[in-house]
């Protein structure tokens, strides 16, 4: 609220880092049962994503096709981080 109110780039960056942490906590507790830690996975709900939607897509995509070309979560972020091997991808050339 204060970052949007004041227009401070420092507060906006701090809020973004805290939201990434909330998403990480929510993602970690999303793998556990509902009875064990049900409220911790709601950390994802503080971000623009829904915990129910994330739980469903994560289970259907990443836990069935873990780190393959058919894994939507891995394939979607492949432009940012080169997880998947492929034709024409030379990871060593990108580092140099």
């Amino acid at each position: 609220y204060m970052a949007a109110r004041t227009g401070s780039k420092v507060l906006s960056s701090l809020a973004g880092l805290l939201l990434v942490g909330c998403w990480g906590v929510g993602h970690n507790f999303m793998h556990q049962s509902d009875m064990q830690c049900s409220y911790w996975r709601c950390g994802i709900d503080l971000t623009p994503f829904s915990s129910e939607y994330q739980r469903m897509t994560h289970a259907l995509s990443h836990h069935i096709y873990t780190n393959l070309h058919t894994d939507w979560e891995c394939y979607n972020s492949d432009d940012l981080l080169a997880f998947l091997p492929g034709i024409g991808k030379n990871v060593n050339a990108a580092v140099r």
Side-chain angles (χ1 to χ4, degrees):
Y1 176 75
M2 287 301 293
R5 184 90 187 217
T6 62
S8 171
K9 292 181 181 179
V10 173
L11 286 177
S12 297
S13 299
L14 182 63
L17 287 174
L18 290 174
L19 280 178
V20 167
C22 289
W23 184 89
V25 168
H27 175 263
N28 286 337
F29 282 99
M30 182 176 55
H31 289 101
Q32 298 180 8
S33 69
D34 290 338
M35 302 302 282
Q36 200 169 16
C37 300
S38 62
Y39 293 112
W40 283 102
R41 78 163 179 250
C42 293
I44 294 177
D45 290 330
L46 296 173
T47 66
F49 305 109
S50 164
S51 62
E52 293 298 321
Y53 180 76
Q54 282 284 315
R55 191 174 194 186
M56 179 183 62
T57 58
H58 185 74
L60 291 175
S61 173
H62 185 66
H63 286 273
I64 295 174
Y65 308 106
T66 307
N67 297 337
L68 298 173
H69 289 281
T70 51
D71 180 1
W72 182 82
E73 291 180 356
C74 188
Y75 186 75
N76 194 29
S77 63
D78 196 41
D79 293 336
L80 298 173
L81 301 169
F83 287 118
L84 301 173
I87 300 171
K89 281 188 176 180
N90 188 351
V91 178
N92 295 327
V95 174
R96 293 180 191 167

